[in-house]
Amino acid sequence: MDFFDRFAIPHPSPVIYASMVAIALTLVAIVAGVTYTKKWGYLWREWLTTVDHKRIGMMYLISALLMLFRGGADAIMMRAQTALPENTLLDSQHYNEIFTTHGVVMIIFMAMAFIMALMNFVVPLQIGARDVAFPRLNALSFWLYFWGAMLFNISFVIGGSPDAGWTSYFPLAGNEFSQSVGTNYYMIAIQIAGLGTLITGINFIVTILKMRAPGMKLMKMPMFTWSALITNLIIVFAFPVLTVALAMGTIDRLFGGNFFTTTDGGMDMLWANLFWVWGHPEVYILILPAFGIYSEIIPTFARRNLYGYKSMVASIVLISVLSFVVWVHHFFTMGQGAMVNSIFSITTMAIAIPTGIKIFNWLFTLWKGKITITVPMLYSLGFIPIFTIGGVTGVMLGMSAADYQYHNTMFLVAHFHLVIIPGVVFAMLAGLTYWWPKMFGFMLNERIGKLSFWLISIGTCVAFFPMFISGLDGQARRMYTYSEATGFGIWNMISFVGAIMLAAGFVTIVYNIYYSTRYASRDISSDPWDARSLEWATHTPVPDYNFAITPQVNSSEAFWDSKKNGHKLFPGNYKEIHMPNNSGVPFIMSAIFFVLGFALVFSIWILAVIALLGIFACLAHRSFEQDHGYHIPVEEVKETEEKLGGARQ
Amino acid sequence: MKVDQTKPLEYSTEQNNLNILGFWMFLGAEIMLFATLFASYFTLEGRTGSGPSGSEIFEITPVIFETFILLTSSFTIGLGVHAMRLMNKKATIAFFSITLLLGLAFVGFEVVEFFTYIEEGAALQTSAFTSILLSTLGTHGAHVTFGLFWGLFILIQIKKRGITPETANKSFIFSLYWHFLDVVWIFIFSFVYLKGMM
Ligand code: HEM
Ligand SMILES: [Cu+2]
């Protein structure tokens, strides 16, 4: 029995037991359902082994939406607990676990996955490519992310959740103060998912640099592709820092290392530094693709070219460079001295300049445009003012002397939610609605979509504006309760109402997906928004090979030119098309990573060694394997094209 | 598969080009990884707690051997790639084998070195300094060990399949990896050992 004791929850409650039952039932239901409908073969052949960037994108999308609800459930519980003073809905330990998992799930497993979803689906289409440079690695990226997320999510029913905050500062996150295995989960699950992200980074840089359609020079790339390129460069340079930090944390926790301890020379501030050297670029990894999406949507629905293309590119590049030199602003109060703080204050505030340039460019694009208010456009328009508020308060936080007042209060919480929600969440929902018809062949309902928009945007303001006030009044973040005399009660109550609105907004999105799947017309054109870039130039649904003939590009809006100015986009005849083979190895190898992670979390060394050998076996298999893909013959291409409505001009 | 005869074999197909660029990007990530380790090393170098400091445990002789072995292996793998470009299968195999044997010798020295440290009371758990020292050396050593297997697999493939665009591409990429580990070692040699002994 001793062996099994370690899997018990250190701090159980009825809710957790209920979730255990719920999870078990869901798993049984899924297995039974798939077996009953005899879909195992289909699932394996079409999804689990796929290397198609479009399907991988869709799997990221589904995972991201699931994680949104997991993180959202945490959020509602937090807001419910703090809605009233001295509330006892959650105790302090549960509250700690919930704000920790909320942060990690939302940033690493929701926002990142959502970005990967859209990047995967859109970027190869936008540059006129058949797939990414390394389709199989792409599948590996997804499955590593997926199994990393699974590992993290089982923590609350097996062994206990991490509870040291998404920033996991040491010494709090060390063995002395975090005795359950929770923080092991943090260190290892993020490591596994992070490996997947790094691989995506490499994959997409090569794809974008090498696989663009003929004629698409760098300065003719669509803005979303530009933002994806820069984002992936940041990923490649920032994620290894996290890798090292997490590995050190793991060594400290599992093997008694002394990196971040308070004895034997250990240095807790090293963790804070390494974490934020990754962490600040990470927030720009989140925001840049969002900027890219808005730069696609705003011109489409304002019926004008993007204003200031070159300055848009320059500002993304500048932001990416600056994002690496501001990390200290996350701990101005932790003892660097005035000189260092001042330098980092200046670099921090400097980021507002390129960001401001982008805001003005969007406004100038809208200026005199013929604006149609669609759901993607609504999100883009809502983003501008709300994000600006978040950004300006960021500049306030960036003044190191003033930050002594704001730091670790609800004011900070308000800041980052008001940049991340309009920045990332709005952009993802906008992108989702915008590219949905390309992905699934029907449009999402506009009326329900507008309802979601209003619920979410008003909900965001109602939930987070009050935190500026309570924060300035001194309400610390991450406190599970407060006394009535503080007067914070009213602000937190308003926040709770906002949170409910947000939740309602997300529910309407799911309802919209359900409703549109059932009722929306399947008879739509392949370019329903009258858009500008190449992804709209191919059929809907997109054939496996994306483009029957490689498009020929002459400007940054080649598709628009082909529609309006008679540019010939698809010259030449059909040729046979080379395609990569599916493979089960990425799925299997990532599943073994999950086993390895699980074994490490619980220090089951034999299992860890076996899993490690399994991973090496997969690598060896890959090394010896000869896989040259297959060819789609010309006749089949012709047939498919005709079935999808004829050749493209 | 379209083969472009004007280019060296390892660059001769579209996929080969992608692979090489991809590997350079990977090396970019590896540079960040080791840079982070070095930065942490410099930060924690003096924080020896109750354990020994670098000057107390470092010994110059084995380190000189390790350095010499690894530098030589970088040279021999260069010769291997050269032989590969001349389509000389036998010489390629010979040079790659020598490289791997040298790599094995390096790892052997390093394992002995680790055991000596632990015997002298400088284990992973002893102090912040020993934690980062062994992690930095260990990360490099693990890379070399991984490379031994990877290189061996490629060697077998050259033997079985000859010098093809695919095996040439793999060997070339492997040589990049090997040179990179050599460069990292030079940093370790200079900034960990020499600096620590001074
Ligand atoms: C004009 C641009 C921005 C500036 C000047 C800025 C400045 C700051 C500063 C100084 C802090 C630390 C405050 C403290 O701990 O006391 C902070 C925290 C934070 N910012 Fe920003 N920020 C900006 C934009 C963004 C964006 C675009 C995002 C994300 C998409 C973001 C996400 C965050 C997060 C997540 C935190 C808090 C992390 C934590 O402690 O849990 N910020 N920001
Ligand atoms: Cu920051």
Side-chain angles (χ1 to χ4, degrees):
Chain A
M1 267 331 269
D2 273 359
F3 178 77
F4 291 101
D5 281 350
R6 66 181 95 191
F7 301 123
I9 298 289
H11 192 73
S13 75
V15 186
I16 291 183
Y17 290 129
S19 337
M20 281 185 195
V21 176
I23 291 179
L25 288 179
T26 318
L27 280 179
V28 171
I30 292 176
V31 172
V34 176
T35 312
Y36 182 73
T37 51
K38 302 210 176 61
K39 288 280 195 229
W40 283 113
Y42 165 79
L43 201 63
W44 177 256
R45 279 191 310 275
E46 302 288 323
W47 295 96
L48 303 188
T49 61
T50 188
V51 295
D52 181 340
H53 71 98
K54 302 180 281 296
R55 289 181 180 231
I56 291 173
M58 289 176 199
M59 292 193 289
Y60 267 120
L61 183 67
I62 295 168
S63 316
L65 287 174
L66 286 176
M67 286 297 121
L68 179 68
F69 278 86
R70 159 78 217 265
D74 288 343
I76 290 288
M77 283 194 273
M78 282 190 282
R79 287 288 107 216
Q81 160 62 22
T82 49
L84 298 170
E86 325 249 10
N87 202 356
T88 53
L89 187 67
L90 299 169
D91 59 27
S92 61
Q93 176 60 23
H94 278 143
Y95 194 78
N96 293 351
E97 292 175 10
I98 286 172
F99 72 65
T100 303
T101 53
H102 168 74
V104 175
V105 165
M106 284 302 202
I107 293 205
I108 311 268
F109 299 126
M110 187 285 285
M112 288 298 278
F114 224 134
I115 288 165
M116 296 297 170
L118 295 181
M119 232 160 51
N120 261 288
F121 190 87
V122 176
V123 167
L125 291 174
Q126 260 192 351
I127 62 174
R130 292 260 147 72
D131 205 312
V132 293
F134 311 112
R136 200 181 291 190
L137 279 184
N138 202 22
L140 183 64
S141 287
F142 170 74
W143 290 113
L144 284 173
Y145 151 76
F146 177 87
W147 286 107
M150 288 296 121
L151 184 63
F152 191 83
N153 277 285
I154 59 170
S155 66
F156 81 109
V157 288
I158 306 178
S161 282
D163 57 0
W166 85 281
T167 48
S168 218
Y169 280 163
F170 284 78
L172 175 61
N175 282 333
E176 191 185 344
F177 299 108
S178 294
Q179 282 152 355
S180 86
V181 296
T183 305
N184 297 353
Y185 273 114
Y186 174 99
M187 297 287 160
I188 293 161
I190 298 181
Q191 186 75 284
I192 294 174
L195 192 59
T197 308
L198 179 64
I199 296 173
T200 303
I202 295 171
N203 209 340
F204 275 78
I205 293 175
V206 178
T207 307
I208 297 173
L209 288 182
K210 285 272 190 183
M211 296 174 70
R212 277 168 286 132
M216 187 183 279
K217 307 227 175 59
L218 278 180
M219 289 308 274
K220 289 184 179 157
M221 293 196 307
M223 201 47 69
F224 181 61
T225 301
W226 255 114
S227 69
L229 175 64
I230 301 297
T231 303
N232 285 300
L233 278 167
I234 306 182
I235 286 178
V236 168
F237 286 98
F239 266 76
V241 182
L242 180 69
T243 306
V244 172
L246 292 172
M248 289 175 173
T250 310
I251 293 176
D252 269 12
R253 290 188 55 87
L254 297 186
F255 307 110
N258 270 308
F259 289 107
F260 309 131
T261 55
T262 47
T263 51
D264 293 313
M267 189 180 191
D268 45 11
M269 277 309 287
L270 180 63
W271 166 269
N273 276 280
L274 292 180
F275 182 86
W276 286 115
V277 169
W278 161 79
H280 192 86
E282 165 67 18
V283 307
Y284 282 90
I285 293 170
L286 298 177
I287 198 73
L288 289 184
F291 286 173
I293 292 174
Y294 292 131
S295 303
E296 298 289 328
I297 290 175
I298 290 176
T300 302
F301 296 108
R303 296 273 170 270
R304 292 192 61 201
N305 287 352
L306 185 63
Y307 184 91
Y309 180 96
K310 284 191 189 136
S311 62
M312 281 300 208
V313 174
S315 54
I316 317 183
V317 174
L318 192 60
I319 288 176
S320 72
V321 174
L322 286 175
S323 74
F324 279 92
V325 292
V326 299
W327 78 91
V328 169
H329 69 210
H330 290 277
F331 44 85
F332 280 142
T333 57
M334 281 147 74
Q336 291 71 224
M339 183 68 187
V340 172
N341 275 359
S342 310
I343 291 172
F344 281 90
S345 273
I346 292 168
T347 55
T348 300
M349 288 189 260
I351 291 202
I353 299 170
T355 314
I357 292 177
K358 299 190 76 75
I359 300 270
F360 281 111
N361 281 341
W362 290 313
L363 291 177
F364 286 134
T365 310
L366 290 167
W367 185 256
K368 290 195 179 152
K370 288 201 251 345
I371 299 175
T372 25
I373 301 289
T374 57
V375 172
M377 190 63 169
L378 266 179
Y379 280 114
S380 314
L381 295 176
F383 148 79
I384 296 177
I386 305 179
F387 181 81
T388 305
I389 294 170
V392 168
T393 51
V395 178
M396 292 170 69
L397 292 162
M399 293 183 246
S400 55
D403 189 50
Y404 277 72
Q405 177 68 24
Y406 313 133
H407 180 60
N408 261 353
T409 66
M410 295 309 276
F411 189 91
L412 163 72
V413 177
H415 153 67
F416 71 73
H417 283 92
L418 288 172
V419 281
I420 291 186
I421 295 183
V424 186
V425 179
F426 282 22
M428 294 308 135
L429 296 175
L432 179 71
T433 319
Y434 182 62
W435 282 302
W436 187 275
K438 213 12 105 199
M439 292 186 181
F440 299 105
F442 60 91
M443 315 217 7
L444 289 175
N445 184 289
E446 281 278 306
R447 285 187 54 184
I448 308 177
K450 284 182 184 165
L451 175 68
S452 315
F453 166 77
W454 288 111
L455 280 170
I456 290 175
S457 59
I458 296 174
T460 304
C461 297
V462 176
F464 295 104
F465 285 172
M467 294 181 189
F468 284 130
I469 301 168
S470 67
L472 287 179
D473 270 352
Q475 188 187 358
R477 73 191 288 201
R478 293 175 175 169
M479 296 298 289
Y480 82 110
T481 194
Y482 49 87
S483 71
E484 182 148 21
T486 56
F488 301 149
I490 176 69
W491 306 118
N492 285 280
M493 183 45 101
I494 299 175
S495 258
F496 177 56
V497 174
I500 298 281
M501 289 176 74
L502 269 164
F506 290 120
V507 171
T508 59
I509 286 178
V510 174
Y511 176 69
N512 194 355
I513 293 178
Y514 161 78
Y515 180 90
S516 309
T517 310
R518 275 195 77 164
Y519 301 112
S521 160
R522 297 303 195 267
D523 184 24
I524 57 165
S525 88
S526 58
D527 176 25
W529 306 111
D530 196 12
R532 303 179 159 238
S533 41
L534 284 180
E535 72 270 29
W536 303 102
T538 183
H539 302 284
T540 301
V542 185
D544 283 349
Y545 47 77
N546 293 354
F547 299 93
I549 297 172
T550 307
Q552 184 76 40
V553 173
N554 64 339
S555 73
S556 63
E557 303 195 315
F559 180 50
W560 187 255
D561 285 347
S562 82
K563 286 193 290 189
K564 308 285 155 166
N565 307 327
H567 166 64
K568 194 158 168 48
L569 203 50
F570 298 107
N573 298 318
Y574 299 138
K575 298 200 188 83
E576 67 169 9
I577 295 174
H578 178 242
M579 298 289 290
N581 283 325
N582 284 359
S583 166
V585 178
F587 177 81
I588 294 170
M589 185 165 142
S590 310
I592 304 177
F593 260 102
F594 172 88
V595 176
L596 172 68
F598 187 82
L600 288 178
V601 167
F602 290 99
S603 308
I604 311 171
W605 305 120
I606 304 171
L607 186 61
V609 172
I610 296 173
L612 210 54
L613 289 177
I615 291 169
F616 284 126
C618 291
L619 290 173
H621 170 266
R622 175 63 179 142
S623 176
F624 284 104
E625 186 184 16
Q626 279 179 305
D627 174 12
H628 298 295
Y630 66 100
H631 286 89
I632 307 181
V634 180
E635 300 77 61
E636 201 182 317
V637 174
K638 211 186 265 167
E639 223 171 87
T640 317
E641 290 289 301
E642 266 153 27
K643 210 164 59 205
L644 289 171
R648 295 265 145 189
Q649 285 313 303
Chain B
M1 196 165 29
K2 265 206 306 269
V3 179
D4 181 349
Q5 305 290 0
T6 61
K7 297 215 181 103
L9 207 52
E10 69 269 19
Y11 282 100
S12 61
T13 68
E14 188 64 45
Q15 189 65 44
N16 278 4
N17 278 301
L18 298 180
N19 292 352
I20 292 173
L21 181 65
F23 199 77
W24 277 108
M25 292 300 144
F26 172 73
L27 287 185
E30 288 273 65
I31 289 173
M32 283 308 291
L33 185 101
F34 281 103
T36 311
L37 283 169
F38 278 114
S40 310
Y41 180 82
F42 297 141
T43 311
L44 299 177
E45 200 181 4
R47 305 176 70 102
T48 50
S50 50
S53 70
S55 56
E56 289 168 284
I57 53 173
F58 292 155
E59 278 176 60
I60 191 76
T61 329
V63 175
I64 293 277
F65 270 112
E66 283 165 347
T67 309
F68 182 71
I69 293 173
L70 208 61
L71 288 184
T72 313
S73 78
S74 219
F75 179 61
T76 55
I77 200 168
L79 293 176
V81 169
H82 189 67
M84 180 192 83
R85 290 215 175 126
L86 298 174
M87 298 298 282
N88 186 337
K89 180 172 158 185
K90 254 199 177 144
T92 312
I93 292 180
F95 284 124
F96 269 80
S97 310
I98 298 174
T99 306
L100 293 182
L101 286 176
L102 289 170
L104 189 65
F106 172 87
V107 173
F109 269 99
E110 188 146 58
V111 170
V112 174
E113 187 189 327
F114 269 46
F115 276 109
T116 324
Y117 289 156
I118 293 171
E119 252 167 44
E120 287 170 1
L124 193 62
Q125 297 83 359
T126 311
S127 68
F129 164 67
T130 59
S131 292
I132 186 68
L133 174 72
L134 296 183
S135 301
T136 310
L137 297 179
T139 308
H140 177 265
H143 273 75
V144 177
T145 314
F146 181 83
L148 291 180
F149 287 97
W150 183 17
L152 183 68
F153 295 163
I154 294 174
L155 196 62
I156 297 172
Q157 288 170 39
I158 298 181
K159 202 158 180 177
K160 277 213 249 169
R161 300 174 193 160
I163 299 178
T164 64
E166 236 182 29
T167 51
N169 186 242
K170 288 185 181 183
S171 323
F172 180 75
I173 288 174
F174 178 68
S175 79
L176 291 180
Y177 179 75
W178 202 260
H179 290 312
F180 170 75
L181 292 182
D182 213 19
V183 174
V184 173
W185 180 260
I186 291 173
F187 276 86
I188 291 182
F189 179 73
S190 320
F191 295 113
V192 175
Y193 290 113
L194 288 189
K195 183 163 172 270
M197 275 181 280
M198 278 200 300

